């Protein structure tokens, strides 16, 4: 069955297929972190729907919320009418937001995807300020619709299209490949100074913008966390100049980075937050939450048929409350720190690992060509071809990981927040084995896989709200 499905997909679907190219499998069952293919093979899923599945696949609390809503006879589609499910979701969401932000916030339900929420946030700030342009950052990713794509940094997805609007591109502090060639705290300071000087330069070419849009941790850009001090500087710079600050928390939200929302690490209070992915409990849902001062829309100024989804709101409310009640953000911080620590140990053994970075359970491993000449910061050239081989080797070992980053050479780990210590160890074992094996094959010589596997221990015991050890063994 699986091969036939894959064959029909190749013939029928558009050339834009992405994940189906990377992972030629046909999932038929999924539970927690484990995905079973039509061929009976099981995989540990470190993609989690690109961060959508905060609780993993088919978590009981999510399924119960969906079944309860279905059994209640509640209408599944009512445009933007008031419902008990919408009210409950909004309450759960506001309870999870930073208190200072939530106290004076409004919510707008958008279309079902994060890119729709980005478009809505831009229109909101354009309406409020009377301005048209925006400030965005190198490496940023905000979606594939026209306005969101204009904000996105990836040139490859923008080249075939006409201009999406006036966007001033600013340098994002990327320590490993610093745009200023200095790295570290000095590089972040230079990035902040550059923004400030550019905006204040009457000949700098920047017309006062409608908003600044940024990610506290760039996801598709290669899992690049923004330094907290730099984020605070962006908040100060925008506040002093009357520029609304929009933080895109589509992938970083709901505990992913070790805090409920990534901005909480820095204490920054933005003017708007764009939310999607995990807030729907695995179902499509996207919203913009913003300071009430900016609520200048007229009725119907931004609407749509699928502004919210009853089942998604029920599943999302259950997910938000479960993450909070079981301390899964704190758990993500703990397990993420252990995993990045082990991966950094592994980097000391395998020079093809140029950098390990991330926050919580949003982890990136940048793969490089160690024989290439290093740049001013000592970073070797990215090796996207090798990264593809590692991804394939991971899949052979029953591990699903995806690539990202400026050169598609960053292995991205986005496991569910319910990952157990045993599952974390299994992920690291398989990843270490895959990298070592691919490295040995590339070099044409033996590499000690046994020593690499020693990086796979992420601790002992079982995490709260997570699957069983049997689930890990079943994926082997």
């Amino acid at each position: 069955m699986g091969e036939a499905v894959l064959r029909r997909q190749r013939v029928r679907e558009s050339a834009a297929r992405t994940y189906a190219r990377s992972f030629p499998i046909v999932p038929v069952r999924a539970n927690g972190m484990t995905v079973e293919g039509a061929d009976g093979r099981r995989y540990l899923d470190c993609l989690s729907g690109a961060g959508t599945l905060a609780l993993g696949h088919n978590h009981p609390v999510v399924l119960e919320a969906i079944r309860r809503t279905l059994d209640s006879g509640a209408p599944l589609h009512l445009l933007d009418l008031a419902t008990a499910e919408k009210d409950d979701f909004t309450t759960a969401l506001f309870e999870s937001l930073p208190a200072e932000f939530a106290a004076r916030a409004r919510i707008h339900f958008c279309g079902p995807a994060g890119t729709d929420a980005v478009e809505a946030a831009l229109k909101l700030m354009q309406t409020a300020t009377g301005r048209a342009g925006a400030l965005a950052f190198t490496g940023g990713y905000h979606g594939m619709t026209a306005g969101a794509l204009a904000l996105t940094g990836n040139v490859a997805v923008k080249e075939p299209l006409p201009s999406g609007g006036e966007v001033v591109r600013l340098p994002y502090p990327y320590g490993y490949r610093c745009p200023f060639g200095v790295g570290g705290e000095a590089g972040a300071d230079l990035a902040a100074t550059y923004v400030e000087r550019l905006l204040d330069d009457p000949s700098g070419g920047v017309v006062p913008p409608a908003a600044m849009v940024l990610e506290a941790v760039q996801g598709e850009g290669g899992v690049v966390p923004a330094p907290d001090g730099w984020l605070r500087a962006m908040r100060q710079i925008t506040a002093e100049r009357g520029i609304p600050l929009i933080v895109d928390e589509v992938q970083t939200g709901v505990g992913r980075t070790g805090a409920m929302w990534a901005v909480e690490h820095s204490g920054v209070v933005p003017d708007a937050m764009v939310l999607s992915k995990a807030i729907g409990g695995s179902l499509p849902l996207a919203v913009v939450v913003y300071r009430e001062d900016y609520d200048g829309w007229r009725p119907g100024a931004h609407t749509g048929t699928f502004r919210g989804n009853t089942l998604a709101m029920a599943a999302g409310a259950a997910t938000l409350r479960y993450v909070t009640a079981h301390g899964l953000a704190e758990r993500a911080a703990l397990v993420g720190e252990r995993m990045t620590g082990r991966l950094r140990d592994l980097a000391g053994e395998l020079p093809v690992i140029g950098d390990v970075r991330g926050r919580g359970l949003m982890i990136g491993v940048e793969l490089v060509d160690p024989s290439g000449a290093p740049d001013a910061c000592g970073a070797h050239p990215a090796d996207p071809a090798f990264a593809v081989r590692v991804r394939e080797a991971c899949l052979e070992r029953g591990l699903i990981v995806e690539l990202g980053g400026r050169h598609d050479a960053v292995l991205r780990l986005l496991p569910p927040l319910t990952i157990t210590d045993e599952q974390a160890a299994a992920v690291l074992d398989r990843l270490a084995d895959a990298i070592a094996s691919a490295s040995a094959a590339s070099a044409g010589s033996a590499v000690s896989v046994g020593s690499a596997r020693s990086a796979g221990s992420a601790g002992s015991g079982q995490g709260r709200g997570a699957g069983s050890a049997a689930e890990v063994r079943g994926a082997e």
Side-chain angles (χ1 to χ4, degrees):
M1 181 189 79
E3 285 301 319
V5 170
L6 290 172
R7 185 170 58 253
R8 286 193 293 272
Q9 178 182 253
R10 285 193 296 269
V11 172
R12 295 172 176 174
E13 290 197 30
S14 80
R17 287 179 306 124
T18 53
Y19 297 115
R21 295 177 186 272
S22 303
F23 311 109
I25 60 178
V26 179
V28 293
R29 278 174 292 276
N31 179 50
M33 196 175 172
T34 302
V35 172
E36 182 179 337
D39 59 358
R41 289 199 66 196
R42 294 182 179 180
Y43 304 84
L44 288 176
D45 183 4
C46 265
L47 181 56
S48 300
T52 298
L53 304 172
L55 304 183
H57 294 275
N58 294 321
H59 192 280
V61 74
V62 172
L63 297 182
E64 171 57 27
I66 293 172
R67 290 192 186 103
R68 184 174 61 249
T69 304
L70 288 171
D71 292 344
S72 73
L76 299 183
H77 188 276
L78 276 174
L79 299 170
D80 66 351
L81 295 182
T83 66
E85 290 77 18
K86 180 192 284 189
D87 184 62
D88 186 56
F89 169 80
T90 304
T91 298
L93 179 62
F94 274 48
E95 287 173 347
S96 76
L97 293 170
E100 185 179 350
F101 180 61
R104 299 179 57 225
R106 296 286 182 94
I107 186 171
H108 182 83
F109 288 83
C110 309
T115 189
D116 303 307
V118 171
E119 298 282 356
L122 282 174
K123 283 178 64 176
L124 172 71
M125 297 311 181
Q126 288 168 348
T127 301
T129 64
R131 307 171 195 155
L135 305 174
F137 291 87
T138 54
Y141 178 81
H142 302 285
M144 287 291 183
T145 50
L149 190 61
L151 296 169
T152 294
N154 189 332
V155 174
V157 297
K158 294 152 63 89
E159 278 183 330
L161 304 172
S163 173
E166 292 186 13
V167 174
V168 175
R169 192 75 50 192
L170 302 170
Y172 193 89
Y174 179 6
Y176 185 62
R177 299 191 186 279
C178 176
F180 300 100
V182 296
E185 188 175 332
D189 290 342
L190 281 173
T193 300
Y194 177 88
V195 173
E196 188 170 25
R197 298 288 175 86
L198 180 66
L199 294 179
D200 290 344
D201 185 349
S203 296
V206 180
V207 176
M212 174 187 281
V213 186
L214 60 80
E215 299 160 274
V217 182
Q218 290 189 341
E220 303 299 326
V223 193
V224 184
D228 292 336
W230 178 84
L231 276 172
R232 288 190 286 268
M234 292 305 100
R235 173 68 285 187
Q236 181 177 347
I237 288 169
T238 53
E240 290 176 350
R241 290 157 183 80
I243 302 171
L245 176 63
I246 301 171
V247 176
D248 184 335
E249 290 260 13
V250 168
Q251 193 167 97
T252 55
V254 194
R256 169 63 55 189
T257 67
M260 196 65 178
W261 308 101
V263 289
E264 293 183 282
H265 293 291
S266 61
V268 164
V269 179
D271 296 301
M273 291 170 62
V274 178
L275 314 176
S276 188
K277 291 191 184 294
I279 66 164
S282 77
L283 299 178
L285 186 62
V287 302
V288 181
V289 185
Y290 54 92
R291 281 177 46 200
E292 60 187 3
D293 314 53
Y294 294 102
D295 196 31
W297 271 336
R298 294 179 179 178
H302 191 86
T303 186
T305 303
F306 294 101
R307 284 183 52 200
N309 175 299
T310 301
L311 291 180
M313 289 186 284
T319 298
L320 288 164
R321 291 190 173 113
Y322 190 89
V323 169
T324 299
H326 290 80
L328 293 188
E330 294 82 1
R331 169 76 182 160
L334 177 65
V335 178
E337 184 178 1
R338 291 175 181 170
M339 292 181 73
T340 53
R342 303 299 183 190
L343 288 167
R344 285 174 182 140
D345 290 343
L346 181 62
E349 302 177 25
L350 295 175
V352 292
I353 299 177
D355 192 33
V356 176
R357 55 183 178 263
R359 207 153 201 176
L361 287 174
M362 194 170 180
I363 301 169
V365 179
E366 184 156 352
L367 300 177
V368 300
D369 177 4
S371 67
D375 64 14
C377 294
H380 292 280
D383 196 339
F386 177 69
V388 169
R389 292 195 293 274
V390 171
R391 180 181 63 193
E392 292 171 350
C394 285
L395 197 64
E396 291 170 1
R397 289 157 176 76
L399 177 64
I400 296 174
V401 297
E402 186 53 303
L403 305 179
R406 309 304 208 270
H407 305 282
D408 283 330
V410 178
L411 294 171
R412 301 183 58 214
L413 303 181
L414 293 164
L417 309 187
T418 52
I419 186 173
T420 66
D421 290 330
E422 292 164 299
Q423 288 171 328
V427 166
L428 293 173
D429 280 342
R430 297 177 195 191
L431 182 59
D433 196 25
I435 295 174
S437 176
S439 181
S442 297
S445 60
V447 171
S448 174
V449 174
S451 63
R453 280 181 172 169
S454 68
S457 175
S460 60
Q462 183 143 325
R464 291 172 291 178
S468 66
E471 182 180 338
V472 179
R473 290 194 295 271
E476 306 245 327

